Amino acid sequence: MITALTILSILILAVASFINLNPQFGGKLTAQHLRAFERSKAWNGKIFENQTLTAMDVHLRTMPDIMKENFRDKEKKSPPEALDILPLTPSAFTASPDKPKFVWYGHSVLLLQLNGKNLLIDPMFGSNASPLPPFSVKRFSNNTLDLIDTLPPIDAVLLTHDHYDHLDYNSMKRIIPKVNTYLTALGVGRHLERWGVPSEQITEFDWWEDTEFQDIRITFTPSRHFSGRGPFDRAKSLWGGWILETGEHKIYLSGDGGYDSVFKQVGEKYGPFDWAFMECGQYNKYWHQIHMYPEESVQAAQDAMAHVAIPVHWGGFSLAPHAWNDPIIRFTEEAAKKGLQTFTPRLGDVVTMGDPVEGQEWWKGI
């Protein structure tokens, strides 16, 4: 007779096998990784911790309300039609190599050119932001994996953290043969190694650590967030943002995270910035401490001393109960009130520093 304990044991074994065999979940922690984590002040011996006490109000008591919000106004959570991404014009991206330029592909995917070097940030081009087949989180745009084949040669990939909406196995399978330099948060490299990246091509960063890459000073900054790809590795790698500096330009990428004093720290230590790419989207009252409201994103950009703020982390997936365009509407309204200049380019458009940005209110026509 099969007992309940036997059934439970079989289920646990099946789940463990699924996680171990599915490469999407990434690499396993080893004793060597844990020894490397000990050099970080953010590591408490068991997990990484934020600079500010941080929690999410997601548990059995709040789950019914969260489920209700997810099903309320469901038709507004995605655009009524697929969002088009403009094809990359190689001549537009190679012109004026002395001028910084970027292409935003939705969510937090950025192709950035600085000092003539091409940097790819959080290259999640996949169609699904969920690791579990029955629970898909479909992208707002179609055939986005194919965009990887249209990219120019990439000098380095930068990763802010290991969540699925920023680090995607299917995307990396196409990227890895094309790139030989990866800059990641501390602990994220193990996923790349499992997927075939040689360890010597990976550099991991603790908060405030920096390096010189092709005449670009690159610094990893704190953010108020968390990490993890499976049920057993929560906060077992670091998370954060990036600062990119040359002799003429400074660019800040906030990474995911709730509003915190770190933005003033960044501004005071490294600002002002020509461009700041600010997290703006996937927020909710139950996880407010790890994702900013749009009004806070504007304040964070001002704290960081940004001349121009570009909202990201929206326009790609619905990972929270708000309407798909709520982040950009609220962000631009608040920025106008506060006198903050913003760029809100069309998906796939090439934006060159000093040139006008076209189609800045493109979402209003959808």
Side-chain angles (χ1 to χ4, degrees):
M1 186 178 189
I2 299 177
T3 65
L5 182 60
T6 302
I7 294 173
L8 180 60
S9 299
I10 293 172
L11 287 174
I12 292 174
L13 182 61
V15 170
S17 298
F18 176 72
I19 292 172
N20 288 331
L21 295 174
N22 189 339
Q24 179 73 277
F25 287 95
K28 293 181 181 179
L29 273 171
T30 66
Q32 183 178 358
H33 293 129
L34 296 175
R35 285 194 296 271
F37 295 170
E38 291 175 359
R39 68 183 171 88
S40 174
K41 293 181 180 179
W43 180 251
N44 71 4
K46 294 181 179 180
I47 61 172
F48 288 101
E49 294 182 316
N50 286 299
Q51 294 185 143
T52 305
L53 185 64
T54 302
M56 290 191 293
D57 193 16
V58 179
H59 43 70
L60 288 176
R61 183 176 58 81
T62 60
M63 193 57 67
D65 191 40
I66 292 173
M67 295 298 291
K68 285 180 184 178
E69 286 194 25
N70 277 324
F71 285 102
R72 188 183 302 131
D73 297 327
K74 197 170 182 179
E75 70 283 355
K76 295 181 181 179
K77 295 184 179 108
S78 299
E81 58 193 47
L83 300 182
D84 291 332
I85 299 179
L86 298 173
L88 182 65
T89 303
S91 59
F93 202 74
T94 56
S96 305
D98 57 321
K99 294 183 178 180
K101 54 180 70 70
F102 75 87
V103 179
W104 174 60
Y105 287 102
H107 206 60
S108 295
V109 186
L110 289 165
L111 172 63
L112 179 67
Q113 187 180 99
L114 190 61
N115 261 14
K117 303 302 177 182
N118 297 328
L119 309 176
L120 191 57
I121 320 294
D122 286 355
M124 198 305 182
F125 287 94
S127 61
N128 181 13
S130 170
L132 301 175
F135 308 103
S136 63
V137 180
K138 187 179 179 183
R139 198 180 196 107
F140 297 159
S141 303
N142 297 326
N143 304 317
T144 45
L145 273 175
D146 293 337
L147 294 169
I148 294 171
D149 297 329
T150 71
L151 298 176
I154 302 300
D155 294 288
V157 168
L158 280 67
L159 300 168
T160 60
H161 63 303
D162 69 356
H163 282 159
Y164 291 93
D165 57 321
H166 295 258
L167 177 59
D168 173 57
Y169 171 62
N170 291 322
S171 299
M172 294 308 299
K173 280 198 301 184
R174 294 202 185 192
I175 291 170
I176 286 170
K178 303 171 184 286
V179 184
N180 59 20
T181 300
Y182 299 84
L183 310 180
T184 79
L186 186 59
V188 175
R190 68 180 187 270
H191 307 312
L192 302 180
E193 288 177 3
R194 181 177 181 184
W195 299 337
V197 179
S199 59
E200 60 268 21
Q201 295 183 1
I202 304 167
T203 304
E204 295 190 340
F205 291 76
D206 193 6
W207 287 337
W208 304 119
E209 286 187 339
D210 60 19
T211 190
E212 192 81 20
F213 175 76
Q214 305 284 355
D215 295 325
I216 304 170
R217 173 60 56 179
I218 300 178
T219 305
F220 191 59
T221 65
S223 69
R224 192 182 184 189
H225 200 54
F226 73 110
S227 65
R229 295 181 72 82
F232 310 117
D233 67 343
R234 184 183 176 89
K236 297 293 177 66
S237 62
L238 205 51
W239 52 88
W242 296 102
I243 292 171
L244 310 171
E245 300 175 272
T246 68
E248 295 78 31
H249 303 290
K250 292 183 181 181
I251 296 172
Y252 174 48
L253 303 102
S254 73
D256 282 12
Y259 183 74
D260 195 45
S261 59
V262 68
F263 300 111
K264 287 188 177 179
Q265 287 180 273
V266 166
E268 290 168 358
K269 290 181 70 172
Y270 297 96
F273 295 96
D274 302 285
W275 290 340
F277 296 89
M278 306 302 299
E279 185 231 51
C280 180
Q282 321 321 314
Y283 42 79
N284 183 268
K285 62 184 178 182
Y286 292 115
W287 51 85
H288 178 213
Q289 292 188 357
I290 62 165
H291 283 302
M292 292 183 282
Y293 294 148
E295 295 78 13
E296 293 172 312
S297 297
V298 170
Q299 184 60 56
Q302 292 186 313
D303 289 352
M305 302 184 188
H307 291 315
V308 179
I310 301 102
V312 297
H313 209 246
W314 73 282
F317 302 98
S318 177
L319 299 169
H322 58 69
W324 77 273
N325 55 0
D326 190 60
I328 191 63
I329 292 171
R330 290 171 58 177
F331 184 93
T332 52
E333 288 179 352
E334 182 69 9
K337 291 178 186 176
K338 294 288 185 66
L340 175 67
Q341 185 180 358
T342 63
F343 286 169
T344 57
R346 297 167 294 184
L347 298 171
D349 213 356
V350 177
V351 177
T352 301
M353 191 169 287
D355 293 353
V357 180
E358 299 179 358
Q360 291 218 59
E361 296 185 343
W362 58 270
W363 66 88
K364 292 185 178 181
I366 296 174

